[in-house]
C-alpha cells in the first residue's frame, strides 16, 4: 500500500527551494561574514535530505542523478588546486588572490580565489554527507 504524502511533498518542494536559495546566499556571503562553503554545503545537504524524507531514495536518484563520490573528488581537486596554485607564484600555501571588476548592472564585483576553495569545500561536504546518508538509507 502506497501512502499519500501529497501535502508533505508539495510543502517540501517550496521549503527546499527556500533552503537552497539561502544556502547560495550563505555560500557567497561567507567570504565577508560567517558562512561559506561548509555551511552552504550542510544546508544543501539538509535540503536534499528533506527531499529524501518526502520522496523515496529511487525517486531522488532519478531527480538528482549525481554520483556523490565524483562530487567529493571534484571538490577536493578544487580545494587542493586553489591552495597549491599559490605555490606556482612562489607565495605560501593557501594564499589567495583577488581583483575587482566593474560590471554594468552589478557594479563593483570582487573576485577571489577563496571562492573556488569554498566551492571545493561545498562539493566535498555535500558529497560526503549524501554518500553517508544514502549508504545508511539504502540498506533494507
Amino acid at each position: 500500500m502506497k501512502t499519500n504524502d501529497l501535502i508533505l511533498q508539495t510543502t517540501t518542494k517550496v521549503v527546499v527551494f527556500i533552503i537552497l536559495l539561502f544556502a547560495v546566499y550563505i555560500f557567497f556571503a561567507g567570504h565577508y561574514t560567517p558562512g561559506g562553503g561548509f555551511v552552504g554545503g550542510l544546508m544543501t545537504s539538509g535540503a536534499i535530505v528533506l527531499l529524501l524524507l518526502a520522496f523515496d531514495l529511487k525517486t531522488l536518484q532519478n531527480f538528482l542523478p549525481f554520483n556523490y563520490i565524483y562530487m567529493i573528488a571534484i571538490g577536493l581537486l578544487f580545494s587542493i588546486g586553489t591552495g597549491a596554485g599559490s605555490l606556482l607564484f612562489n607565495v605560501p600555501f593557501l594564499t589567495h588572490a583577488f581583483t575587482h571588476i566593474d560590471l554594468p548592472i552589478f557594479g563593483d564585483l570582487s573576485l577571489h580565489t577563496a571562492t573556488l576553495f569554498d566551492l571545493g569545500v561545498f562539493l566535498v561536504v555535500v558529497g560526503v554527507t549524501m554518500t553517508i546518508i544514502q549508504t545508511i538509507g539504502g540498506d533494507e
Side-chain angles (χ1 to χ4, degrees):
M1 183 174 133
K2 186 170 173 23
T3 59
N4 187 1
D5 296 330
L6 182 63
I7 295 173
L8 175 64
Q9 291 174 353
T10 305
T11 306
T12 296
K13 292 174 188 175
V14 174
V15 171
V16 163
F17 179 73
I18 294 169
I19 292 172
L20 290 177
L21 278 178
F22 193 61
V24 169
Y25 169 76
I26 289 292
F27 174 81
F28 285 111
H31 193 69
Y32 299 107
T33 59
F38 186 77
V39 177
L42 285 177
M43 290 186 67
T44 302
S45 296
I48 296 172
V49 168
L50 185 59
L51 283 172
L52 189 59
L53 291 173
F55 302 94
D56 59 342
L57 184 60
K58 188 167 272 317
T59 304
L60 186 66
Q61 286 174 342
N62 289 335
F63 182 66
L64 298 172
F66 298 125
N67 186 343
Y68 294 106
I69 302 293
Y70 291 147
M71 186 181 285
I72 295 168
I74 292 169
L76 284 173
L77 219 83
F78 269 103
S79 295
I80 294 171
T82 55
S86 61
L87 298 175
L88 297 174
F89 298 100
N90 204 20
V91 292
F93 184 70
L94 283 177
T95 301
H96 293 286
F98 63 93
T99 187
H100 292 274
I101 61 170
D102 189 35
L103 293 178
I105 295 173
F106 298 108
D108 186 37
L109 182 69
S110 68
L111 300 174
H112 299 262
T113 56
T115 306
L116 294 175
F117 178 80
D118 273 346
L119 178 64
V121 171
F122 176 88
L123 292 174
V124 168
V125 168
V126 171
V128 167
T129 307
M130 292 315 302
T131 299
I132 292 169
I133 289 172
Q134 284 186 347
T135 302
I136 293 170
D139 294 338
E140 292 295 329

